[in-house]
Amino acid sequence: MMKINNFLELKDFQKIIIENEKIELDESLLSRVNKSFQFLKEFSKNKVIYGVNTGFGPMAQFKISDEDTHQLQYNLIRSHSSGIGNPLPAQEVKACMLARLNTLSLGNSGVHESVIYLLQELINRDITPLIFEHGGVGASGDLVQLAHLALVLIGEGEVFYKGERTSTKEVFEVEGLEPIKVEIREGLALMNGTSVMSGIGIVNAYKANQLTDISLRLSCAINEIVQAYDDHLSEALNGTKKHYGQQKVAERMRAHLADSKLIRKREDHLYTHFEEQEKVFKEKVQEYYSLRCVPQILGPVLDTLEYTEKVLENEINSANDNPIINVEDQHVYHGGNFHGDYISLEMDKLKIVVTKLTMLAERQLNYLLNAKINEILPPFVNLGKLGFNFGMQGVQFTATSTTAESQMLSNSMYVHSIPNNNDNQDIVSMGTNAAVICRRVIENAFEVLAIEAITIIQAVEYLGFQDKVSSSTKELYDEIRKIIPAFSNDMVMYPYLEEVKKYLKTM
């Protein structure tokens, strides 16, 4: 059981979202929420407060009478529950709920504690609201997507419960849960924020970390297959470039390859007996870039991911609705903390580097499949009869087309603002769109890496290197061989691709 108080780290999200750890609310958190609620209740009397006694957006100029203020919040929630498209995956919705709980718990939103309690129960009981991919423009927050969350909290809409899409009312009856009763501004406070794009972003970052590690391990394995020289991984060489990511990737590769019997030292082969060498060297002096430049290619991926995680962590621990309630100053501040540009930009950057990682995998795959350039493997790593069997020829088309899709998807959402809301929202972030597209690029990467992984294992098989590769590569070999046997005859590949993809996601 994890106690929620103030600052949540991404590793906390991992424990709750991925490992299903339960949460409990700290007393100091509840005290903070109650102080904020009581202050707003008193402060809003006889004052014009946006979203409390005014309309919303361009209709903020309309005063709302006291007897209509509660209904105003219900109207906002229901009218904006207008998403469409595919439902968000359960992990992303759970991350969104935790992010919303955390930001509302900071005491800057003036919500009733019942909101916090019900969010806690939904998270702990794995009840995930139906939230659609399409809807929000990410500027006045994730208005449409968060409206679907708010809709569930008032006991309406639909949820996913025990694998089924079910009405909220039915699930609440089964679980003995009570909907919240809107008090002052619960509708606006729940909807006005960046928690959906942040929730998707957190899951994206977790998966991007997995991809980086997998790509690094596969890059090590392919260097073993060609018996590459070790100087391009050396601390001496990579230390001359002052980028943390590059140095870290090289360090991790050296660790993975420490017990390999295949990686060679240049001084043992090319720095001796120069006069005895042929005029045309039989052995390659340097490998192709996709093998030799892995630290320089994956280094920026690692650096970008680290910064993205920092931005995500800042966002989920920030007040990101409007207006902001400040009990200490005894004031209510109007502004634009709901704007999602920070997340939007990071999701664009993350999908770009994941696409580059995918491109690296596709080029490494091509190297293995093209006998004319690797000069050690049969065409398409075909372990059967050349001309009669096809080896990995068919799956290369899938890897190439999937990589091409990611390249196209890597165009920026951050710079694609479209004014709307009677031009009140005249520049927006498109942050949730950016996060959803980033997720698609990440899924594509898992598919391409699955194809590369099978090809590497087939190459190890052909060369008989099972007992010479590093323990890291041998572990990968053994696990994938449990899924797909060594094959020389052609067989239907798609079930194996899916299973290897699932395995990579558990690494």
Side-chain angles (χ1 to χ4, degrees), residues 147-292:
H148 284 272
L149 169 59
L151 191 66
V152 168
L153 293 178
I154 63 172
E156 301 177 18
E158 297 176 82
V159 297
F160 288 96
Y161 176 67
K162 296 184 177 179
E164 299 291 330
R165 180 171 163 178
T166 315
S167 78
T168 303
K169 184 178 179 182
E170 288 179 33
V171 174
F172 277 21
E173 287 174 357
V174 170
E175 289 286 334
L177 295 172
E178 289 291 328
I180 65 167
K181 292 182 174 64
V182 170
E183 295 287 342
I184 303 174
R185 63 180 294 265
E186 275 74 16
L188 183 62
L190 280 163
M191 292 168 53
N192 214 203
T194 58
S195 299
V196 173
M197 65 179 81
S198 298
I200 301 170
I202 287 165
V203 178
N204 284 346
Y206 174 77
K207 292 180 178 179
N209 264 309
Q210 289 180 299
L211 286 170
T212 305
D213 186 56
I214 295 163
S215 179
L216 191 147
R217 289 183 66 179
L218 296 183
S219 296
C220 287
I222 195 172
N223 271 280
E224 290 186 272
I225 286 168
V226 303
Q227 300 182 65
Y229 298 111
D230 68 352
D231 47 352
H232 66 280
L233 306 174
S234 67
E235 185 176 2
L237 180 136
N238 288 282
T240 62
K241 201 129 185 222
K242 304 300 180 184
H243 296 300
Y244 168 81
Q246 175 180 333
Q247 293 175 6
K248 192 67 179 176
V249 169
E251 178 187 330
R252 286 165 65 179
M253 290 183 76
R254 291 194 300 272
H256 278 301
L257 294 169
D259 58 356
S260 173
K261 298 175 184 176
L262 296 168
I263 298 296
R264 298 183 294 171
K265 294 191 176 298
R266 187 172 296 272
E267 54 267 30
D268 294 340
H269 296 270
L270 294 179
Y271 284 1
T272 59
H273 310 297
F274 178 78
E275 296 299 328
E276 297 173 18
Q277 296 281 359
E278 300 288 337
K279 288 187 177 180
V280 178
F281 301 119
K282 292 179 181 178
E283 297 184 23
K284 285 181 180 174
V285 175
Q286 298 187 121
E287 298 298 340
Y288 282 79
Y289 286 9
S290 60
L291 281 70
R292 180 169 29 119

Side-chain angles (χ1 to χ4, degrees), residues 288-307:
Y288 282 79
Y289 286 9
S290 60
L291 281 70
R292 180 169 29 119
C293 300
V294 174
Q296 293 83 359
I297 296 168
L298 291 184
V301 179
L302 207 61
D303 283 336
T304 300
L305 180 52
E306 185 176 287
Y307 188 74

Side-chain angles (χ1 to χ4, degrees), residues 376-403:
I376 57 172
L377 297 167
F380 304 108
V381 196
N382 184 354
L383 306 191
K385 184 178 178 182
L386 297 182
F388 179 69
N389 297 115
F390 292 91
M392 299 295 289
Q393 180 176 330
V395 293
Q396 185 179 19
F397 297 120
T398 303
T400 303
S401 66
T402 305
T403 303

Side-chain angles (χ1 to χ4, degrees), residues 215-216 219 289-291 293-294 297-298 354-366 403 448-449 452:
S215 179
L216 191 147
S219 296
Y289 286 9
S290 60
L291 281 70
C293 300
V294 174
I297 296 168
L298 291 184
V354 171
T355 293
K356 191 61 179 281
L357 178 153
T358 310
M359 292 164 60
L360 173 65
E362 190 277 333
R363 287 294 84 197
Q364 290 175 341
L365 174 67
N366 183 72
T403 303
V448 176
L449 289 176
E452 183 188 12

